[in-house]
Amino acid sequence: LEGSPISTLSIARCQIGDSTKAATLLSNSMCFLQSLTKLDLSGNILGPRCCEKLAEAFQSDGMQVVELNLSGNRFGAEGGQKIAESLSHLHNMHWLDVSDNDFDDDVCREISESLREIISFGVVTRHCTIVHFEARNNNFGDEACSELIRAFANEVTHYIGLKNTGCGPLTGKEVGAGLRKPTISWERLDLAENELGKEGANHVWWAMRKNHSVLDLDMSNNKIGPVFGTEADHLGEHGISIDTALERNFTIRRLRMEGNGISAE
């Protein structure tokens, strides 16, 4: 494969499995493919034993991957840490999917650290390049998810997928803070199947009053409850968060709020 002009490689759902030998072959192949920009390894259940070799490949000189799909591999927490640390070496990557990998809060924090913008003494020393980030079905937890949201609150990221990752009120608060930024570029947010609750939902909807970027928002199945959006949820002269947001926001095109036990009122 050395010198091969292959730029797109998909070996998704090939039943590779948890094999160190397979991981070594993959790693060596990727190092030879200097033109590789799109790599799909999804659905292979590679497991934790493959992570060290994959991380070595991602850190190798000349790796120019722009789109990377690692979903459905059950890397686990220990293996995920190695993968997460290596992501900082993929300087051109703008599309990443790490869904369904049994990652925990520490892996989430390391991903945030690897991909966030770094500013030193007022100068940007590393830009965030991620346009599309998908991480559904991982065990991140509320605090780590909020840190991830903060890492992607920028002018570059358009899509964040955190379905079923343990988002809670802290994440809702951080999403609200991001939505208030005048330069935010978020267009699609998938926060479904979490535990934002009424508090987290209100943080999001108060911010949506003045947001002009989000086109697609999924907050379905978040245990928001029957008080949300009622007179009991009224905040003085400001009114009700979702009511005022929908009156003032003319940008959003797709909204999902089902499965939250919201009252008819």
Side-chain angles (χ1 to χ4, degrees), residues 9-220:
L9 176 62
S10 176
I11 45 177
R13 299 176 296 282
C14 288
Q15 300 180 332
I16 296 173
D18 186 0
S19 165
T20 304
K21 181 179 179 181
T24 301
L25 289 172
L26 279 173
S27 176
N28 292 340
S29 298
M30 285 187 283
C31 291
F32 284 130
L33 295 172
Q34 297 297 304
S35 298
L36 188 66
T37 58
K38 298 180 181 180
L39 177 62
D40 187 351
L41 299 176
S42 63
N44 280 301
I45 316 180
L46 294 173
R49 289 193 295 176
C50 294
C51 293
E52 185 173 353
K53 289 297 182 181
L54 289 177
E56 288 175 4
F58 296 151
Q59 295 176 70
S60 63
D61 294 336
M63 182 62 68
Q64 301 294 323
V65 169
V66 173
E67 297 186 12
L68 178 61
N69 191 341
L70 298 174
S71 63
N73 278 298
R74 300 181 188 173
F75 291 131
E78 185 176 348
Q81 195 73 20
K82 295 183 176 68
I83 296 291
E85 290 170 0
S86 71
L87 296 178
S88 63
H89 295 266
L90 299 176
H91 305 297
N92 299 314
M93 184 170 60
H94 66 68
W95 194 101
L96 176 63
D97 190 338
V98 293
S99 304
D100 300 288
N101 275 311
D102 301 324
F103 288 164
D104 65 6
D105 56 337
D106 288 333
V107 176
C108 181
R109 289 188 176 93
E110 190 60 47
I111 291 173
S112 303
E113 184 62 29
S114 291
L115 301 180
R116 71 179 179 88
E117 178 181 81
I118 295 179
I119 300 176
S120 179
F121 299 104
V123 178
V124 177
T125 57
R126 185 183 73 192
H127 292 276
C128 176
T129 61
I130 299 297
V131 176
H132 177 107
F133 178 79
E134 179 65 75
R136 65 188 179 276
N137 303 328
N138 281 298
N139 305 312
F140 290 163
D142 192 20
E143 187 174 336
C145 281
S146 69
E147 293 178 23
L148 189 68
I149 289 290
R150 192 181 311 126
F152 292 141
N154 53 49
E155 303 173 19
V156 177
T157 306
H158 290 175
Y159 171 79
I160 302 174
L162 289 176
K163 180 178 181 180
N164 188 31
T165 53
C167 297
L170 286 175
T171 306
K173 184 177 182 180
E174 205 61 53
V175 170
L179 291 170
R180 287 184 171 89
K181 290 189 173 183
T183 57
I184 201 72
S185 294
W186 297 343
E187 294 179 357
R188 295 176 58 210
L189 297 175
D190 185 355
L191 304 173
E193 297 181 23
N194 284 297
E195 297 186 8
L196 291 175
K198 181 175 75 71
E199 181 185 350
N202 272 323
H203 281 303
V204 174
W205 283 107
W206 285 123
M208 284 295 288
R209 292 179 303 166
K210 295 185 177 181
N211 176 267
H212 301 293
S213 67
V214 174
L215 301 170
D216 187 330
L217 176 61
D218 191 342
M219 292 173 60
S220 58

Side-chain angles (χ1 to χ4, degrees), residues 200-262:
N202 272 323
H203 281 303
V204 174
W205 283 107
W206 285 123
M208 284 295 288
R209 292 179 303 166
K210 295 185 177 181
N211 176 267
H212 301 293
S213 67
V214 174
L215 301 170
D216 187 330
L217 176 61
D218 191 342
M219 292 173 60
S220 58
N221 300 299
N222 263 283
K223 302 180 181 179
I224 294 173
V227 175
F228 176 77
T230 66
E231 283 301 315
D233 202 26
H234 195 280
L235 186 62
E237 63 182 23
H238 301 293
I240 297 171
S241 65
I242 191 169
D243 289 0
T244 54
L246 294 177
E247 287 172 0
R248 301 179 188 181
N249 188 309
F250 298 101
T251 305
I252 192 166
R253 294 293 180 268
R254 182 174 180 270
L255 171 63
R256 295 190 63 180
M257 291 287 289
E258 73 268 19
N260 279 305
I262 297 173

